[in-house]
Amino acid sequence: LLVDVRGSGMRQVDPRRIPGAISLSLDTLAAQAASWPPGQPVVTYCSCPDEATAAEAARRLHAQGRLRAWPLEGGLEAWMAAEEASRLNP
């Protein structure tokens, strides 16, 4: 499960997203996560320096007992760069 944890303002400024990702704020993350299957792998992402928001989201999921949650290293920019590289070098 991919979770975009950027704030709504940032999503408006930069509407790019990883295909299939859901958008959740940090405030609603725990409530939504309660409905996910136990053991569901979760990757959180943002576009802030050092993946700060994504790391906080993963930390909150861990505190909820969801130990298979990780922040995406490099965030949205890294994903987009990898996506572009794969298109240029199939």
Side-chain angles (χ1 to χ4, degrees):
L1 177 64
L2 291 167
V3 182
D4 181 348
V5 291
R6 297 176 296 158
S8 61
M10 181 53 77
R11 287 192 308 269
Q12 287 178 343
V13 169
D14 183 358
R16 299 176 302 162
R17 60 182 287 188
I18 296 173
I22 61 171
S23 298
L24 294 174
S25 71
L26 284 177
D27 294 335
T28 61
L29 180 67
Q32 291 295 321
S35 68
W36 300 338
Q40 170 77 50
V42 180
V43 175
T44 58
Y45 73 90
C46 61
S47 56
C48 39
D50 300 321
E51 302 83 44
T53 305
E56 175 61 18
R59 187 195 65 73
R60 290 182 186 195
L61 290 169
H62 285 192
Q64 194 177 358
R66 296 185 170 277
L67 303 180
R68 297 186 69 200
W70 307 273
L72 178 63
E73 186 175 345
L76 181 60
E77 292 303 320
W79 180 279
M80 293 299 167
E83 183 76 13
E84 180 67 18
S86 70
R87 280 196 301 267
L88 295 174
N89 302 307

Coordinates of all heavy atoms in Angstrom, one line a residue:
L1 N 0.9 -1.2 0.0 CA 0.0 0.0 0.0 C 0.9 1.2 0.0 O 1.8 1.3 0.8 CB -0.9 0.0 1.2 CG -1.8 1.2 1.4 CD1 -2.8 1.3 0.3 CD2 -2.5 1.0 2.8
L2 N 0.7 2.1 -0.9 CA 1.4 3.4 -1.0 C 0.6 4.5 -0.4 O -0.6 4.6 -0.8 CB 1.8 3.7 -2.4 CG 2.8 2.8 -3.1 CD1 2.8 3.1 -4.6 CD2 4.2 3.1 -2.5
V3 N 1.1 5.3 0.5 CA 0.4 6.4 1.1 C 1.1 7.7 0.9 O 2.3 7.9 1.4 CB 0.1 6.1 2.6 CG1 -0.7 7.2 3.2 CG2 -0.5 4.7 2.8
D4 N 0.5 8.6 0.3 CA 1.0 10.0 0.1 C 0.6 10.8 1.3 O -0.6 11.0 1.6 CB 0.3 10.6 -1.2 CG 0.8 12.0 -1.5 OD1 1.4 12.7 -0.6 OD2 0.5 12.5 -2.6
V5 N 1.5 11.2 2.1 CA 1.2 11.9 3.4 C 1.6 13.4 3.2 O 1.6 14.1 4.3 CB 1.9 11.3 4.6 CG1 1.4 9.9 4.9 CG2 3.4 11.2 4.4
R6 N 1.7 13.9 2.0 CA 1.9 15.3 1.9 C 0.6 16.0 2.3 O -0.5 15.5 2.1 CB 2.2 15.7 0.4 CG 3.5 15.1 -0.1 CD 3.8 15.4 -1.6 NE 2.7 14.7 -2.4 CZ 2.4 15.1 -3.6 NH1 3.0 16.2 -4.2 NH2 1.4 14.5 -4.2
G7 N 0.7 17.3 2.8 CA -0.4 18.1 3.1 C -1.2 18.4 1.9 O -0.7 18.4 0.8
S8 N -2.5 18.8 2.1 CA -3.4 19.1 0.9 C -2.8 20.3 0.2 O -3.0 20.3 -1.1 CB -4.8 19.3 1.4 OG -4.9 20.4 2.3
G9 N -2.2 21.2 0.8 CA -1.7 22.4 0.1 C -0.5 22.0 -0.8 O -0.5 22.5 -1.9
M10 N 0.3 21.1 -0.3 CA 1.4 20.6 -1.2 C 0.9 19.8 -2.3 O 1.4 19.9 -3.5 CB 2.4 19.8 -0.3 CG 3.6 19.3 -1.2 SD 4.5 20.6 -2.1 CE 5.4 21.3 -0.8
R11 N -0.1 19.0 -2.1 CA -0.7 18.2 -3.2 C -1.4 19.1 -4.3 O -1.4 18.8 -5.4 CB -1.7 17.2 -2.7 CG -1.1 16.1 -2.0 CD -2.0 14.9 -1.7 NE -3.3 15.3 -1.0 CZ -3.5 15.3 0.3 NH1 -2.5 15.0 1.1 NH2 -4.6 15.7 0.8
Q12 N -1.9 20.3 -3.8 CA -2.4 21.3 -4.8 C -1.3 21.9 -5.6 O -1.5 22.1 -6.8 CB -3.3 22.3 -4.1 CG -4.6 21.8 -3.6 CD -5.4 22.8 -2.9 OE1 -4.9 23.8 -2.4 NE2 -6.7 22.5 -2.7
V13 N -0.2 22.3 -4.9 CA 0.9 22.9 -5.6 C 1.6 21.9 -6.6 O 2.0 22.3 -7.7 CB 1.9 23.4 -4.6 CG1 3.2 23.8 -5.2 CG2 1.3 24.6 -3.8
D14 N 1.7 20.7 -6.1 CA 2.3 19.6 -6.9 C 1.4 18.4 -7.0 O 1.4 17.6 -6.1 CB 3.7 19.2 -6.3 CG 4.4 18.2 -7.1 OD1 3.9 17.8 -8.2 OD2 5.5 17.8 -6.7
P15 N 0.6 18.3 -8.0 CA -0.4 17.3 -8.1 C 0.1 15.9 -8.5 O -0.6 14.9 -8.6 CB -1.4 17.8 -9.1 CG -0.6 18.7 -10.0 CD 0.4 19.3 -9.1
R16 N 1.4 15.8 -8.8 CA 2.0 14.5 -9.2 C 1.8 13.5 -8.0 O 1.7 13.9 -6.9 CB 3.5 14.6 -9.4 CG 3.8 15.5 -10.6 CD 5.3 15.6 -10.7 NE 5.9 16.1 -9.5 CZ 7.2 16.0 -9.2 NH1 8.1 15.4 -10.0 NH2 7.7 16.5 -8.0
R17 N 1.6 12.3 -8.4 CA 1.5 11.2 -7.3 C 1.9 9.9 -7.9 O 2.0 9.7 -9.1 CB 0.1 11.2 -6.8 CG -1.0 10.8 -7.8 CD -2.4 10.8 -7.2 NE -2.5 9.7 -6.4 CZ -3.6 9.3 -5.9 NH1 -4.7 9.9 -6.1 NH2 -3.6 8.2 -5.1
I18 N 2.2 9.0 -7.0 CA 2.6 7.7 -7.5 C 1.3 6.9 -7.8 O 0.4 6.9 -7.0 CB 3.4 6.9 -6.3 CG1 4.7 7.7 -6.1 CG2 3.6 5.5 -6.7 CD1 5.5 7.2 -4.9
P19 N 1.2 6.3 -9.0 CA 0.0 5.6 -9.3 C -0.4 4.6 -8.3 O 0.4 3.8 -7.8 CB 0.4 4.9 -10.6 CG 1.5 5.7 -11.2 CD 2.3 6.2 -10.0
G20 N -1.7 4.6 -7.9 CA -2.2 3.7 -7.0 C -2.1 4.1 -5.5 O -2.7 3.5 -4.6
A21 N -1.4 5.2 -5.3 CA -1.3 5.7 -3.9 C -2.6 6.3 -3.4 O -3.3 6.9 -4.2 CB -0.1 6.7 -3.8
I22 N -2.8 6.2 -2.1 CA -3.9 6.9 -1.5 C -3.3 8.1 -0.7 O -2.1 8.1 -0.3 CB -4.7 6.1 -0.5 CG1 -3.8 5.5 0.6 CG2 -5.3 4.9 -1.3 CD1 -4.6 4.8 1.7
S23 N -4.1 9.2 -0.6 CA -3.6 10.4 0.1 C -4.3 10.5 1.5 O -5.5 10.4 1.6 CB -4.0 11.6 -0.7 OG -3.4 11.6 -2.0
L24 N -3.4 10.6 2.5 CA -3.9 10.7 3.9 C -3.1 11.7 4.6 O -1.9 11.8 4.4 CB -3.8 9.4 4.6 CG -4.7 8.2 4.1 CD1 -4.3 7.0 4.9 CD2 -6.2 8.5 4.3
S25 N -3.7 12.5 5.5 CA -3.0 13.4 6.3 C -2.5 12.6 7.5 O -3.0 11.6 7.8 CB -3.9 14.6 6.8 OG -4.8 14.1 7.7
L26 N -1.5 13.2 8.2 CA -1.0 12.5 9.4 C -2.1 12.4 10.4 O -2.1 11.4 11.2 CB 0.2 13.3 10.0 CG 1.5 13.2 9.3 CD1 2.6 14.1 9.9 CD2 2.0 11.7 9.3
D27 N -3.0 13.4 10.5 CA -4.1 13.4 11.5 C -5.1 12.2 11.2 O -5.7 11.8 12.2 CB -4.8 14.7 11.5 CG -3.9 15.8 11.9 OD1 -3.0 15.6 12.7 OD2 -4.2 17.0 11.5
T28 N -5.2 11.8 10.0 CA -6.2 10.7 9.7 C -5.6 9.4 9.5 O -6.3 8.4 9.4 CB -7.1 11.1 8.5 OG1 -6.2 11.2 7.3 CG2 -7.8 12.4 8.7
L29 N -4.3 9.3 9.5 CA -3.5 8.1 9.2 C -3.9 6.9 10.1 O -4.3 5.9 9.6 CB -2.0 8.4 9.2 CG -1.1 7.2 8.9 CD1 -1.3 6.8 7.4 CD2 0.3 7.5 9.2
A30 N -3.9 7.2 11.4 CA -4.1 6.1 12.4 C -5.5 5.5 12.2 O -5.7 4.3 12.3 CB -3.8 6.5 13.8
A31 N -6.5 6.4 12.1 CA -7.9 5.9 12.0 C -8.1 5.1 10.7 O -8.7 4.1 10.7 CB -8.8 7.1 12.0
Q32 N -7.5 5.5 9.6 CA -7.6 4.8 8.3 C -6.9 3.5 8.4 O -7.3 2.5 7.9 CB -7.1 5.6 7.2 CG -7.9 6.8 6.8 CD -9.3 6.4 6.3 OE1 -9.5 5.5 5.6 NE2 -10.3 7.1 6.8
A33 N -5.7 3.5 9.0 CA -4.9 2.3 9.1 C -5.5 1.2 9.9 O -5.3 0.0 9.7 CB -3.5 2.6 9.7
A34 N -6.4 1.6 10.8 CA -7.1 0.6 11.7 C -8.0 -0.3 10.8 O -8.2 -1.5 11.2 CB -8.0 1.3 12.7
S35 N -8.4 0.1 9.6 CA -9.2 -0.7 8.7 C -8.4 -1.6 7.8 O -8.9 -2.4 7.0 CB -10.2 0.1 8.0 OG -9.5 0.9 7.0
W36 N -7.1 -1.4 7.7 CA -6.2 -2.2 6.8 C -6.0 -3.6 7.4 O -5.9 -3.8 8.6 CB -4.9 -1.5 6.6 CG -5.0 -0.1 6.0 CD1 -6.1 0.4 5.3 CD2 -4.1 0.9 6.1 NE1 -5.8 1.7 4.9 CE2 -4.6 2.0 5.4 CE3 -2.8 1.0 6.6 CZ2 -3.9 3.2 5.3 CZ3 -2.1 2.2 6.5 CH2 -2.7 3.3 5.8
P37 N -5.8 -4.6 6.5 CA -5.5 -5.9 7.0 C -4.2 -5.9 7.9 O -3.2 -5.2 7.6 CB -5.2 -6.7 5.7 CG -5.8 -5.9 4.6 CD -5.8 -4.5 5.0
P38 N -4.2 -6.7 8.9 CA -3.0 -6.9 9.7 C -1.8 -7.3 8.9 O -2.0 -8.2 8.0 CB -3.4 -7.9 10.8 CG -4.9 -7.9 10.8 CD -5.3 -7.6 9.4
G39 N -0.7 -6.8 9.1 CA 0.5 -7.2 8.3 C 0.6 -6.6 7.0 O 1.6 -6.9 6.2
Q40 N -0.3 -5.7 6.6 CA -0.3 -5.0 5.3 C 1.0 -4.2 5.2 O 1.2 -3.3 6.0 CB -1.5 -4.1 5.2 CG -1.5 -3.2 4.0 CD -1.8 -3.9 2.7 OE1 -2.8 -4.5 2.7 NE2 -1.0 -3.7 1.7
P41 N 1.8 -4.5 4.2 CA 3.0 -3.6 4.0 C 2.6 -2.2 3.6 O 1.7 -2.1 2.7 CB 3.8 -4.3 2.9 CG 3.2 -5.7 2.8 CD 1.8 -5.6 3.3
V42 N 3.2 -1.2 4.1 CA 2.8 0.2 3.8 C 4.1 1.0 3.6 O 5.0 0.9 4.3 CB 2.1 0.8 5.0 CG1 1.7 2.3 4.7 CG2 0.8 0.0 5.4
V43 N 4.1 1.7 2.5 CA 5.2 2.7 2.2 C 4.6 4.0 2.1 O 3.6 4.3 1.4 CB 5.9 2.3 0.8 CG1 6.9 3.4 0.5 CG2 6.5 0.9 0.8
T44 N 5.1 4.9 3.0 CA 4.7 6.3 3.0 C 5.6 7.2 2.2 O 6.8 6.9 2.2 CB 4.6 6.8 4.5 OG1 5.9 6.7 5.1 CG2 3.6 6.0 5.3
Y45 N 5.1 8.2 1.6 CA 6.0 9.2 0.9 C 5.5 10.6 1.1 O 4.3 10.9 1.3 CB 6.2 8.8 -0.5 CG 5.0 9.0 -1.5 CD1 4.9 10.2 -2.1 CD2 4.1 8.0 -1.7 CE1 3.8 10.5 -3.0 CE2 3.0 8.3 -2.6 CZ 2.9 9.5 -3.2 OH 1.9 9.7 -4.1
C46 N 6.5 11.5 0.9 CA 6.2 12.9 0.9 C 7.2 13.6 -0.1 O 7.9 12.9 -0.8 CB 6.3 13.5 2.3 SG 7.9 13.3 3.1
S47 N 7.3 14.9 0.0 CA 8.3 15.6 -0.8 C 9.1 16.5 0.0 O 9.6 17.5 -0.5 CB 7.6 16.3 -2.0 OG 6.6 17.2 -1.5
C48 N 9.2 16.3 1.3 CA 10.0 17.1 2.1 C 11.4 16.6 2.3 O 11.7 15.5 2.1 CB 9.3 17.3 3.5 SG 8.5 15.8 4.1
P49 N 12.3 17.5 2.8 CA 13.7 17.1 3.0 C 13.8 16.0 4.0 O 13.1 15.9 5.0 CB 14.3 18.4 3.6 CG 13.4 19.5 3.2 CD 12.0 18.9 3.1
D50 N 14.6 15.0 3.6 CA 14.9 13.8 4.5 C 13.6 13.0 4.8 O 13.6 12.4 5.8 CB 15.5 14.3 5.8 CG 16.9 14.9 5.6 OD1 17.6 14.5 4.6 OD2 17.2 15.9 6.2
E51 N 12.6 13.1 3.9 CA 11.4 12.3 4.1 C 10.8 12.5 5.5 O 10.2 11.6 6.1 CB 11.6 10.8 3.8 CG 12.2 10.5 2.5 CD 13.7 10.6 2.4 OE1 14.4 10.2 3.3 OE2 14.1 11.2 1.4
A52 N 10.8 13.7 6.0 CA 10.4 14.0 7.4 C 8.9 13.6 7.7 O 8.7 12.9 8.7 CB 10.6 15.5 7.7
T53 N 8.0 13.9 6.8 CA 6.6 13.6 7.1 C 6.4 12.1 6.9 O 5.7 11.5 7.6 CB 5.7 14.4 6.2 OG1 6.0 15.8 6.4 CG2 4.2 14.2 6.4
A54 N 7.0 11.5 5.8 CA 6.9 10.1 5.6 C 7.5 9.3 6.7 O 6.9 8.3 7.2 CB 7.5 9.7 4.3
A55 N 8.6 9.7 7.3 CA 9.2 9.0 8.4 C 8.3 9.1 9.6 O 8.2 8.2 10.4 CB 10.6 9.6 8.7
E56 N 7.7 10.3 9.9 CA 6.8 10.5 11.0 C 5.6 9.5 10.8 O 5.1 8.9 11.8 CB 6.3 11.9 11.1 CG 5.3 12.2 12.2 CD 5.7 11.8 13.6 OE1 6.9 11.7 13.9 OE2 4.8 11.7 14.5
A57 N 5.1 9.4 9.6 CA 3.9 8.6 9.3 C 4.3 7.1 9.6 O 3.5 6.4 10.3 CB 3.4 8.7 7.9
A58 N 5.4 6.7 9.2 CA 5.9 5.3 9.4 C 6.1 5.1 10.9 O 5.7 4.0 11.5 CB 7.2 5.0 8.7
R59 N 6.6 6.1 11.6 CA 6.8 6.0 13.1 C 5.4 5.8 13.8 O 5.2 5.0 14.7 CB 7.5 7.2 13.7 CG 7.8 7.1 15.1 CD 8.2 8.4 15.8 NE 7.1 9.3 15.8 CZ 6.0 9.2 16.6 NH1 5.9 8.2 17.5 NH2 5.1 10.2 16.6
R60 N 4.4 6.6 13.3 CA 3.1 6.4 13.9 C 2.4 5.1 13.6 O 1.8 4.5 14.5 CB 2.2 7.6 13.4 CG 2.5 8.9 13.9 CD 1.6 10.0 13.4 NE 2.0 11.3 13.8 CZ 1.3 12.4 13.8 NH1 0.0 12.3 13.3 NH2 1.7 13.6 14.2
L61 N 2.7 4.6 12.5 CA 2.2 3.2 12.1 C 2.8 2.2 13.0 O 2.2 1.3 13.5 CB 2.3 3.0 10.6 CG 1.4 3.8 9.7 CD1 1.9 3.6 8.3 CD2 0.0 3.4 9.9
H62 N 4.1 2.3 13.2 CA 4.9 1.4 14.1 C 4.3 1.4 15.5 O 4.1 0.4 16.1 CB 6.4 1.7 14.1 CG 7.1 1.3 12.9 ND1 8.5 1.3 12.8 CD2 6.7 1.0 11.6 CE1 8.8 1.0 11.6 NE2 7.8 0.7 10.9
A63 N 4.0 2.6 16.0 CA 3.5 2.8 17.3 C 2.1 2.1 17.4 O 1.7 1.7 18.5 CB 3.4 4.3 17.7
Q64 N 1.4 2.0 16.3 CA 0.1 1.3 16.2 C 0.2 -0.2 16.1 O -0.7 -0.9 16.0 CB -0.7 1.9 15.1 CG -2.1 1.7 15.0 CD -2.8 2.4 13.9 OE1 -2.2 3.1 13.1 NE2 -4.1 2.1 13.7
G65 N 1.5 -0.7 16.0 CA 1.7 -2.1 15.9 C 1.9 -2.6 14.4 O 2.0 -3.7 14.2
R66 N 1.9 -1.6 13.5 CA 2.1 -2.0 12.1 C 3.6 -1.8 11.8 O 4.1 -0.8 11.4 CB 1.3 -1.0 11.2 CG -0.2 -1.2 11.5 CD -1.1 -0.5 10.5 NE -2.4 -0.9 10.7 CZ -3.0 -2.0 10.1 NH1 -2.3 -2.7 9.3 NH2 -4.2 -2.3 10.4
L67 N 4.3 -2.9 12.0 CA 5.8 -2.9 11.8 C 6.3 -3.0 10.4 O 7.5 -2.9 10.2 CB 6.4 -4.0 12.7 CG 6.0 -3.9 14.2 CD1 6.7 -5.0 15.0 CD2 6.3 -2.5 14.8
R68 N 5.4 -3.3 9.5 CA 5.7 -3.4 8.1 C 5.4 -2.1 7.4 O 4.8 -2.1 6.3 CB 5.0 -4.6 7.4 CG 5.5 -5.9 8.1 CD 4.9 -7.1 7.4 NE 5.6 -7.2 6.1 CZ 5.0 -7.9 5.1 NH1 3.9 -8.5 5.2 NH2 5.7 -8.0 3.9
A69 N 5.9 -0.9 7.9 CA 5.7 0.4 7.3 C 7.0 1.1 7.2 O 7.8 1.0 8.2 CB 4.7 1.2 8.2
W70 N 7.3 1.7 6.1 CA 8.6 2.3 5.8 C 8.3 3.6 5.0 O 7.5 3.7 4.1 CB 9.5 1.4 5.0 CG 9.6 0.1 5.5 CD1 10.6 -0.3 6.4 CD2 8.9 -1.1 5.2 NE1 10.4 -1.7 6.7 CE2 9.4 -2.2 6.0 CE3 7.8 -1.4 4.4 CZ2 8.9 -3.5 5.9 CZ3 7.3 -2.7 4.3 CH2 7.8 -3.7 5.1
P71 N 9.2 4.6 5.3 CA 9.1 5.8 4.4 C 9.9 5.5 3.1 O 10.9 4.8 3.1 CB 9.9 6.9 5.2 CG 10.8 6.1 6.1 CD 10.1 4.8 6.4
L72 N 9.4 6.1 2.0 CA 10.1 5.9 0.7 C 11.4 6.8 0.7 O 11.2 8.0 0.8 CB 9.2 6.3 -0.4 CG 9.8 6.2 -1.8 CD1 10.2 4.7 -2.2 CD2 8.7 6.7 -2.8
E73 N 12.5 6.2 0.6 CA 13.8 7.0 0.6 C 13.8 7.8 -0.7 O 13.6 7.4 -1.8 CB 15.0 6.0 0.6 CG 16.3 6.8 0.7 CD 17.5 5.9 0.8 OE1 17.3 4.7 1.1 OE2 18.6 6.3 0.6
G74 N 14.0 9.1 -0.5 CA 14.0 10.1 -1.6 C 12.7 10.6 -1.9 O 12.5 11.6 -2.7
G75 N 11.6 10.1 -1.4 CA 10.3 10.6 -1.5 C 9.8 10.6 -3.0 O 10.2 9.8 -3.8
L76 N 8.8 11.4 -3.2 CA 8.2 11.5 -4.5 C 9.2 11.8 -5.6 O 9.1 11.3 -6.7 CB 7.1 12.6 -4.5 CG 6.3 12.8 -5.8 CD1 5.6 11.5 -6.2 CD2 5.3 14.0 -5.6
E77 N 10.2 12.7 -5.3 CA 11.2 13.1 -6.4 C 12.0 11.8 -6.8 O 12.2 11.7 -8.0 CB 12.1 14.2 -5.8 CG 11.4 15.5 -5.6 CD 10.7 16.0 -6.9 OE1 11.3 15.9 -8.0 OE2 9.6 16.6 -6.8
A78 N 12.4 11.0 -5.9 CA 13.1 9.8 -6.2 C 12.3 8.9 -7.1 O 12.8 8.3 -8.0 CB 13.6 9.1 -5.0
W79 N 11.0 8.7 -6.7 CA 10.1 7.9 -7.5 C 10.0 8.4 -8.9 O 10.1 7.6 -9.9 CB 8.8 7.8 -6.9 CG 7.8 6.9 -7.6 CD1 7.1 7.2 -8.8 CD2 7.5 5.5 -7.4 NE1 6.4 6.2 -9.2 CE2 6.6 5.1 -8.4 CE3 7.9 4.6 -6.4 CZ2 6.1 3.8 -8.4 CZ3 7.4 3.3 -6.5 CH2 6.5 3.0 -7.5
M80 N 9.8 9.7 -9.1 CA 9.6 10.3 -10.4 C 10.9 10.2 -11.2 O 10.9 9.9 -12.4 CB 9.2 11.8 -10.3 CG 7.8 11.9 -9.7 SD 6.6 11.1 -10.8 CE 5.1 11.2 -9.7
A81 N 12.1 10.4 -10.6 CA 13.3 10.2 -11.3 C 13.5 8.8 -11.8 O 14.0 8.6 -12.9 CB 14.5 10.6 -10.4
A82 N 13.2 7.8 -10.9 CA 13.3 6.4 -11.3 C 12.4 6.1 -12.4 O 12.7 5.3 -13.4 CB 13.1 5.5 -10.1
E83 N 11.2 6.6 -12.4 CA 10.2 6.4 -13.4 C 10.7 7.0 -14.8 O 10.6 6.3 -15.8 CB 8.8 7.1 -13.0 CG 7.7 6.9 -13.9 CD 7.1 5.5 -13.8 OE1 7.4 4.8 -12.9 OE2 6.3 5.2 -14.8
E84 N 11.2 8.2 -14.7 CA 11.7 8.8 -15.9 C 12.9 8.0 -16.5 O 13.0 7.8 -17.7 CB 12.2 10.2 -15.6 CG 12.7 11.0 -16.8 CD 11.7 11.3 -17.9 OE1 10.5 11.2 -17.6 OE2 12.1 11.5 -19.1
A85 N 13.8 7.6 -15.6 CA 15.0 6.8 -16.1 C 14.5 5.5 -16.7 O 15.1 5.1 -17.7 CB 15.9 6.5 -14.9
S86 N 13.5 4.9 -16.2 CA 13.0 3.6 -16.8 C 12.4 3.8 -18.1 O 12.4 3.0 -19.0 CB 12.1 2.9 -15.8 OG 10.8 3.6 -15.8
R87 N 11.8 5.0 -18.3 CA 11.2 5.3 -19.7 C 12.3 5.6 -20.7 O 12.2 5.2 -21.9 CB 10.3 6.5 -19.6 CG 8.9 6.2 -19.1 CD 7.9 7.3 -19.4 NE 8.3 8.5 -18.8 CZ 7.9 9.0 -17.6 NH1 7.1 8.2 -16.9 NH2 8.2 10.1 -17.1
L88 N 13.4 6.2 -20.2 CA 14.5 6.6 -21.1 C 15.4 5.4 -21.4 O 16.0 5.4 -22.5 CB 15.3 7.7 -20.5 CG 14.6 9.1 -20.4 CD1 15.4 10.1 -19.7 CD2 14.1 9.6 -21.7
N89 N 15.5 4.5 -20.5 CA 16.4 3.3 -20.7 C 15.6 2.0 -20.4 O 15.8 1.4 -19.4 CB 17.5 3.4 -19.7 CG 18.4 4.6 -19.9 OD1 18.8 4.9 -21.0 ND2 18.5 5.4 -18.8
P90 N 14.7 1.6 -21.3 CA 13.9 0.4 -21.1 C 14.7 -0.8 -21.0 O 15.7 -1.1 -21.3 CB 13.0 0.4 -22.3 CG 13.4 1.4 -23.3 CD 14.5 2.2 -22.6

